Amino acid sequence: FLPLVFEEAVVSTQSTGLSVGTPLGIVLGVAVEARLTGSTLLLATAIIQALGTGIFLYITFAEILFPELKTKIDMKFKIPSICFGVLVIGLASLLHTHSHDMMGDHHDHH
């Protein structure tokens, strides 16, 4: 009983942290963009994006993908699904065009 209660408390704390962290991250991003200019803005933006990417990759691999692959149930569906997902994201990134708006830099990537 006690381990179950402890596990639920940890999950609840993590959920609360994510719930609070997301709006705080948005506020931080808006504040950085409003107060900084030039190369300082670019550096701060790069750091914030690197942190966000690192968190996303950690959650994807350490918290979701690896534990899921440890269970041997439905492996014939899991591996092709992962490969398909990587393929879709790769194709989407190749087909997506965007323009950079910071510092007056306007160009498209193809």
Side-chain angles (χ1 to χ4, degrees):
F1 175 74
L2 190 57
L4 182 61
V5 170
F6 180 72
E7 183 178 325
E8 288 178 7
V10 169
V11 169
S12 176
T13 303
Q14 289 173 344
S15 298
T16 302
L18 287 173
S19 297
V20 171
T22 301
L24 288 178
I26 292 169
V27 168
L28 175 66
V30 169
V32 163
E33 189 172 311
R35 299 196 187 279
L36 300 178
T37 60
S39 61
T40 308
L41 173 61
L42 293 175
L43 178 62
T45 302
I47 291 170
I48 291 170
Q49 288 179 356
L51 287 171
T53 302
I55 291 168
F56 176 77
L57 290 173
Y58 175 79
I59 290 172
T60 298
F61 289 103
E63 298 290 330
I64 298 171
L65 193 57
F66 292 148
E68 187 63 35
L69 290 176
K70 282 183 183 177
T71 62
K72 302 298 181 193
I73 301 168
D74 293 331
M75 287 301 282
K76 63 183 175 185
F77 297 112
K78 289 179 185 179
I79 300 298
S81 296
I82 292 168
C83 293
F84 179 73
V86 169
L87 178 67
V88 168
I89 295 299
L91 289 174
S93 69
L94 289 174
L95 298 174
H96 177 72
T97 61
H98 65 276
S99 63
H100 296 267
D101 207 26
M102 297 176 74
M103 308 292 292
D105 182 21
H106 300 284
H107 64 274
D108 289 325
H109 294 277
H110 297 284

